Amino acid sequence: MFRRSVYKKPAQLRGMVAPGEITAAALDAVAEAIRPGVTTLELDRIAEEAITARGAHSNFQLVPGYSHTVCVSVNEQVVHGIPTERVLEAGDIVSVDCGAETPEGWNGDSARTFIVPGEAADPSLVAQRQELSDVTRGSMWAGIAALASSSHLGQVGAVIQDHIEANPLPSTGQPAGILRDYVGHGIGRKMHEEPTLFHYATPGRGAEIKPGLCICVEPMMTAGSDEVFVEDDDWTITTVDGSSGAHWEHSVAVHAGGIWVLTAPDGGAEALASYGVTPVPIP
Ligand code: MG
Ligand code: MG
């Protein structure tokens, strides 16, 4: 069904380790810098410095028409927000998506959602944003754990949807909205490769999960309706109802010994423990 090159050989999988670690380091640097008063462009510069200091370069800048290192999506923006002079405020929910490519030509891709610390004007809204980030992150880890025991990507999508439906947001009593038109993807020589991972149940089985698969699991969720639109900048994806958005992403490798989360410093060990999954470093 898919080109054999979708599944990487062991030596190619080893090439995926460094860009994953560099992408994680860039997001660590962003995490340390997030505070009221920082602009989203400053976060972009901080991520770029972290990547170039490690001998790699931004792969977002290789996307036609895009010139930044990260996407920063604030509040009702869910994904693909462009860094600007916008100043972050306490209580903002901020999703930062970032990727690095090594000189050897291998790619990493990861996203985290942050709540800007400090005293916010509307504590109940901040609490809801935290709920949304937590359930989105939880659905990502449930999906990653499912990679370890499933045969096809369709099973992973169903697990992500199940997690969302089993954990409605306490503030609304409703499950988070799952973005339908934006998907997870294979990663390797390019940031975006086959196959596709839907973050919801689909009729098809999806691509086979077997050694050599490198896949980005990246649920994108809203605190309300799943309806979104593209802002006038032709990039930013924003909720129609003005509800908050969240986005978490990891690049994950499947190899003969198990799975390894390339963009988590511990390979995902801490988060996967509750699922009984122990990640195994790529040999
Ligand atoms: Mg990404
Ligand atoms: Mg991605």
Side-chain angles (χ1 to χ4, degrees):
M1 187 175 177
F2 295 102
R3 295 191 315 272
R4 206 148 39 126
S5 61
V6 161
Y7 300 97
K8 294 166 181 65
K9 298 182 177 73
Q12 296 175 313
L13 285 179
R14 284 194 287 278
M16 293 294 290
V17 172
E21 291 175 348
I22 294 167
T23 300
L27 286 172
D28 285 346
V30 168
E32 282 197 24
I34 288 230
R35 63 175 68 87
V38 73
T39 69
T40 56
L41 255 179
E42 286 175 84
L43 299 181
D44 188 73
R45 181 181 53 74
I46 287 162
E48 175 155 29
E49 279 177 7
I51 290 170
T52 55
R54 289 165 176 81
H57 53 264
S58 160
N59 51 20
F60 282 32
Q61 291 179 8
L62 303 175
V63 175
Y66 202 77
S67 56
H68 296 286
T69 296
V70 295
C71 289
V72 189
S73 307
V74 184
N75 296 343
E76 69 281 0
Q77 302 172 343
V78 191
V79 285
H80 299 173
I82 302 175
T84 65
E85 297 292 349
R86 178 174 185 159
V87 176
L88 294 181
E89 298 176 13
D92 282 346
I93 181 169
V94 184
S95 300
V96 181
D97 193 353
C98 182
E101 186 181 72
T102 55
E104 294 76 25
W106 298 106
N107 286 270
D109 185 10
S110 182
R112 300 182 199 170
T113 292
F114 306 94
I115 309 291
V116 180
E119 204 170 316
D122 184 349
S124 66
L125 178 60
V126 178
Q128 184 189 67
R129 288 172 170 166
Q130 188 66 57
E131 293 167 5
L132 175 68
S133 178
D134 290 347
V135 79
T136 304
R137 182 174 183 271
S139 75
M140 173 189 69
W141 284 112
I144 291 170
L147 275 172
S149 57
S150 303
S151 63
H152 289 80
L153 288 179
Q155 295 163 277
V156 175
V159 163
I160 291 170
Q161 180 173 343
D162 285 350
H163 182 93
I164 292 298
E165 289 177 353
N167 295 281
L169 300 177
S171 55
T172 65
Q174 298 294 318
I178 305 175
L179 260 60
R180 301 270 153 174
D181 295 339
Y182 303 89
V183 296
H185 51 89
I187 184 165
R189 284 294 185 196
K190 293 183 178 158
M191 180 169 55
H192 294 128
E193 294 185 349
E194 288 181 346
T196 293
L197 169 66
F198 297 97
H199 303 112
Y200 49 91
T202 53
R205 290 195 304 169
E208 191 179 358
I209 298 166
K210 62 179 183 181
L213 179 71
C214 291
I215 190 87
C216 291
V217 181
E218 53 173 317
M220 293 154 259
M221 304 291 169
T222 77
S225 160
D226 61 11
E227 258 191 283
V228 290
F229 70 100
V230 184
E231 289 190 24
D232 289 341
D233 61 16
D234 282 338
W235 284 99
T236 313
I237 307 300
T238 298
T239 59
V240 170
D241 63 6
S243 63
S244 302
H247 178 209
W248 281 87
E249 174 178 24
H250 272 308
S251 305
V252 187
V254 179
H255 61 96
I259 67 167
W260 184 253
V261 181
L262 296 158
T263 45
D266 67 349
E270 188 183 342
L272 290 169
S274 63
Y275 294 93
V277 174
T278 305
V280 180
I282 294 169

